[in-house]
Amino acid sequence: MRIVRRDLVPDGPGSVKMIPVDSDDLWYVYNLISPGDSVMAVTVRKVLRDVASGGRDAERVKLKLEVKVEEVADYDKVGNVLRIRGKNILENEHVKIGQYHTLELELHRPFVLRKDVWDSLALHVLQQASDPAASADLAVVLMQEGLAHVLLVGKSMTTTRSRIETSIPRKHGPGIAGYEAALNKFFENVVQAFLKHVDFNVVRCAVIASPGFTKDQFHRHLLLEADRKQLRPIIENKSRIILVHTTSGYKHSLKEVLDAPNVMNMIKDTKAAQEVRALQDFYNMLSNDSARACYGPKHVEVAHERMAVQTLLITDELFRNADVATRKKYVNLVNSVKDSGGTVHIFSSLHVSGEQLAQITGIAAILRFPLPDLEDIEM
């Protein structure tokens, strides 16, 4: 995210002019904008004009509008568009004050966000979005014979860049020749997707993961093709291509990739890796010493009242609550845990670890000391 101008008071009013540069940035904007904020951007609107013949003609005109946000209507992560709906508060000849309009925020197009209160969470999201060191961390090719997914694990989301599916005949009997040809064709398609979507200037490493020997066969094929066609990006970065065993080529196996020690070492200081580690620590504590782990808003609040929270795990989804009081409650909890010396991990709901945390209410904690009586409190 490029911050063009920043004019705000922490825990007070202000505005920030910014330009989203990649899809991660739009996800941050999605988490930044709340109902009650105002957003100013250039937009296109259809207007009716009177023509000489007496009729009316519709034409599309470019306007600068500022809307008071009523809802963040839609986040389209495939098309990289964020739609915001609200009433116009900037007078101009085509759109009256108070008229509804849907603004579309897109990549490389500046906009200004104004808030009455830039709370600590909004400032944290802004700081993360503008941190250049935290861009896409990892490229993953998850595969099995006949199926491959090329995924990019970024600082705030995991995106599927390509899905390759090829019908491969059985390996045994008379179809053996067809098997070899189909497998080579499949590998060739995956190589093309790899070259198109994996940029070693952006990612720290690329992981090829599969059950069985598919990953080894593909890795060999990739390096041979790189030598034959002199593909410099692959030849120069082959030490950054890692092989990992998974149980399938489907997307749910991404968790196994992020748990693998050789991958962890490469991305250990990134947000995605920290989230995976924190969740792993929570589950370990839950199974080994269950009185020192809790989840659910009520249990976590009670644990914090007793100054017991050492590590708080919370998904960004909880902060997107339309109810201002609920959002404020979670912001205060995060601040209070930090002030009392605890660690806070805010999980992205578009990462595999965030999805797992969401399944257990979206909030959990590792405790400094056991609280066995928590189990008696209603969730």
Side-chain angles (χ1 to χ4, degrees), residues 205 207 242-245 257 259-267:
C205 63
V207 178
I242 300 172
L243 305 187
V244 172
H245 173 81
V257 172
D259 282 343
N262 53 346
V263 176
M264 260 297 185
N265 286 337
M266 293 284 265
I267 63 164

Side-chain angles (χ1 to χ4, degrees), residues 157-176:
M157 64 199 285
T158 300
T159 49
T160 305
R161 303 318 295 258
S162 184
R163 177 188 164 100
I164 301 105
E165 220 168 342
T166 308
S167 176
I168 294 183
R170 293 171 66 120
K171 196 172 182 176
H172 309 291
I176 186 81

Side-chain angles (χ1 to χ4, degrees), residues 123-171:
L123 293 171
H124 170 76
V125 173
L126 192 63
Q127 184 266 324
Q128 275 203 317
S130 56
D131 177 7
S135 58
D137 306 321
L138 189 63
V140 181
V141 181
L142 268 176
M143 64 197 309
Q144 58 192 50
E145 277 192 5
L147 173 71
H149 291 92
V150 179
L151 308 167
L152 287 184
V153 181
K155 54 187 170 179
S156 63
M157 64 199 285
T158 300
T159 49
T160 305
R161 303 318 295 258
S162 184
R163 177 188 164 100
I164 301 105
E165 220 168 342
T166 308
S167 176
I168 294 183
R170 293 171 66 120
K171 196 172 182 176

Side-chain angles (χ1 to χ4, degrees), residues 321-369:
N321 202 299
D323 178 28
V324 176
T326 306
R327 176 190 159 94
K328 202 164 180 185
K329 180 181 83 172
Y330 287 123
V331 170
N332 290 342
L333 176 66
V334 165
N335 289 342
S336 187
V337 168
K338 285 180 180 172
D339 290 345
S340 59
T343 308
V344 177
H345 293 280
I346 298 172
F347 283 61
S348 165
S349 52
L350 287 190
H351 270 326
V352 63
S353 49
E355 289 169 9
Q356 284 179 281
L357 184 58
Q359 287 166 6
I360 55 164
T361 74
I363 184 167
I366 298 169
L367 308 181
R368 292 190 172 97
F369 45 83

Side-chain angles (χ1 to χ4, degrees), residues 250-306:
Y250 289 94
K251 285 196 287 187
H252 61 76
S253 292
L254 183 61
K255 181 183 176 302
E256 298 165 57
V257 172
L258 295 174
D259 282 343
N262 53 346
V263 176
M264 260 297 185
N265 286 337
M266 293 284 265
I267 63 164
K268 56 178 175 278
D269 56 340
T270 64
K271 186 173 185 289
Q274 286 162 3
E275 289 174 9
V276 170
R277 255 199 318 274
L279 195 63
Q280 196 63 54
D281 291 346
F282 169 75
Y283 280 122
N284 289 345
M285 188 65 83
L286 198 61
S287 53
N288 299 331
D289 186 0
S290 62
R292 280 193 58 203
C294 66
Y295 61 90
K298 186 71 183 156
H299 284 189
V300 172
E301 277 170 41
V302 171
H304 180 56
E305 282 165 14
R306 299 181 190 179

